[in-house]
Amino acid sequence: MPLRVPQAPAPALRSVLTALSSPTAVREARTPALLGAQGPATPELPLPVHVLDRVTAEGVAATRLAGWRFHIRCGDRAVAAAETRLTPDGWAFSHFFEGPYVASTERALRQAETVAQSYQPRLLSVPELYMLTLWLHGDCAADAASGHPAATDLLVPLAPAPPGIAAHRPHRVAELLPVLTDRVTPTRLLGSPA
């Protein structure tokens, strides 16, 4: 089934297009692939970036929208990504970057295209674990800027994943969330006061 990629806020897309047309912004980005790109660079594949702030005692993940990420395509491949963030004045360009998460996200999206069910793709960041996942949300009509991972949603850890968590292996939220919670929660030292 095809993925139902959400539509990014128009001001977020405009901010990326403005940055791409600014030689100063591209030069200051210091992304070699973007600097050396031949031909037009176009933003595509907008994905909302949510951050996992905490997991409640009931196992519900508290998330917040942190921005929108666009892959920057030159020719037939993504050479970088651009991120936007919400400011008091609205959506603003944040930065360009490249690295393993760009290719890993594309790989995970190709994998997700082969799943029988339709999903709304999002990104879910787990800062405490230096982890980024492709979050496949089962409610394709949902507002991409809000919501929490449902137990039946899929999380696909992107490479590089933390030790002991396989990259590109889809997990139901109900299966992976307890593992992430155990890793984020500080363990009590033996002999420490209760």
Side-chain angles (χ1 to χ4, degrees):
M1 286 263 163
L3 295 175
R4 306 260 173 87
V5 177
Q7 188 169 359
L13 176 58
R14 276 195 305 273
S15 72
V16 171
L17 289 169
T18 300
L20 279 171
S21 66
S22 164
T24 304
V26 172
R27 222 179 4 263
E28 287 178 1
R30 294 192 177 98
T31 60
L34 191 56
L35 284 170
Q38 300 296 316
T42 56
E44 61 180 38
L45 198 64
L47 295 174
V49 181
H50 293 262
V51 175
L52 179 66
D53 285 325
R54 62 185 169 79
V55 179
T56 67
E58 297 81 28
V60 177
T63 63
R64 63 181 165 80
L65 180 67
W68 281 81
R69 183 172 294 174
F70 298 80
H71 279 207
I72 306 300
R73 187 162 298 281
C74 263
D76 63 346
R77 67 185 193 97
V79 296
E83 199 149 306
T84 62
R85 59 184 170 82
L86 190 57
T87 69
D89 296 325
W91 288 100
F93 171 75
S94 176
H95 61 281
F96 291 114
F97 65 94
E98 62 184 79
Y101 285 133
V102 175
S104 187
T105 301
E106 286 204 321
R107 177 180 169 190
L109 287 165
R110 281 192 306 272
Q111 284 178 288
E113 286 282 351
T114 65
V115 177
Q117 181 180 340
S118 289
Y119 287 101
Q120 182 189 81
R122 304 171 174 196
L123 293 172
L124 181 64
S125 172
V126 186
E128 292 87 356
L129 298 176
Y130 301 100
M131 180 179 183
L132 186 64
T133 69
L134 177 63
W135 168 15
L136 298 172
H137 191 52
D139 182 359
C140 295
D143 177 4
S146 63
H148 304 290
T152 56
D153 287 353
L154 294 177
L155 295 176
V156 182
L158 300 179
I165 296 176
H168 296 285
R169 183 173 170 258
H171 300 271
R172 295 257 176 235
V173 167
E175 298 165 357
L176 188 58
L177 211 51
V179 173
L180 300 181
T181 304
D182 287 345
R183 287 186 174 209
V184 170
T185 305
T187 56
R188 264 182 223 262
L189 296 174
L190 292 175
S192 65

